[in-house]
Amino acid sequence: MSMKNNTHQKIASYISANPDSSNNDICEALFMDPSAVYPHLNALFSAGVLTRRRDCRKYRYSVVPGMYIESDTTRIPTKKPVLRAEEIESLANELIERGLLRRAATVLTEAIGLVKTEREVQRVSRLRTQCLMTAKRQYQGAEA
């Protein structure tokens, strides 16, 4: 199936390679915000490209059996590649800039296991704690 929307194509390609994916799985793989992905998933579901099934409180998406999805021009990995600590920290900084603080904290947790010195562990741990505290403040501010 040829799709005009590039984001639709990326999402469909990812789901084709990773059936039974949740919205969070797709967001993490494509580095997108859940609120940005959800309308695309609904559009693809309504167009008959995707199927979805409820799994507790979330949906799991798969490509309709027999549906051909053209490969995206940028290859989306089906498994996470092994990254060095510097690359993981760079990824975390990108997530922080985009306001995805809890996701950045999760990435920084991986970096803690990869850094070599105690000083680096402390530095990454401090950054992770800052992300979590800021995310908590934002969440509490949104509730009020």
Side-chain angles (χ1 to χ4, degrees), residues 83-96 104 107-108 110-112 114-115 120-121 123-125 127:
L83 300 175
R84 294 190 334 248
E86 298 83 21
E87 293 169 327
I88 290 177
E89 286 185 63
S90 172
L91 173 60
N93 288 328
E94 288 177 30
L95 293 170
I96 291 168
V107 169
L108 288 168
E110 292 179 30
I112 289 171
L114 297 175
V115 293
E120 288 175 324
V121 170
R123 182 180 53 79
V124 173
S125 295
L127 182 57

Side-chain angles (χ1 to χ4, degrees), residues 54-68:
R54 189 170 279 292
D55 182 21
C56 295
R57 293 180 3 179
K58 58 186 167 186
Y59 286 114
R60 297 240 170 231
Y61 295 89
S62 297
V63 173
V64 171
M67 177 72 65
Y68 173 73

Side-chain angles (χ1 to χ4, degrees), residues 7-124:
T7 305
H8 282 33
Q9 180 65 44
K10 286 181 182 179
I11 292 171
S13 293
Y14 176 80
I15 295 172
S16 179
N18 301 280
D20 211 33
S21 296
S22 70
N23 188 13
N24 288 339
D25 297 336
I26 298 162
C27 293
E28 288 179 11
L30 301 178
F31 302 107
M32 294 177 68
D33 191 69
S35 62
V37 171
Y38 189 73
H40 295 286
L41 289 170
N42 275 338
L44 290 166
F45 175 73
S46 296
V49 176
L50 300 179
T51 61
R52 70 179 175 196
R53 69 172 180 82
R54 189 170 279 292
D55 182 21
C56 295
R57 293 180 3 179
K58 58 186 167 186
Y59 286 114
R60 297 240 170 231
Y61 295 89
S62 297
V63 173
V64 171
M67 177 72 65
Y68 173 73
I69 303 294
E70 292 177 15
S71 294
D72 190 11
T73 54
T74 58
R75 184 77 178 123
I76 300 168
T78 55
K79 297 199 181 216
K80 293 181 182 177
V82 177
L83 300 175
R84 294 190 334 248
E86 298 83 21
E87 293 169 327
I88 290 177
E89 286 185 63
S90 172
L91 173 60
N93 288 328
E94 288 177 30
L95 293 170
I96 291 168
E97 288 174 11
R98 294 176 57 201
L100 302 171
L101 298 170
R102 288 185 295 167
R103 195 168 299 156
T106 302
V107 169
L108 288 168
T109 301
E110 292 179 30
I112 289 171
L114 297 175
V115 293
K116 294 180 174 119
T117 66
E118 184 64 31
R119 182 170 279 174
E120 288 175 324
V121 170
Q122 290 174 349
R123 182 180 53 79
V124 173

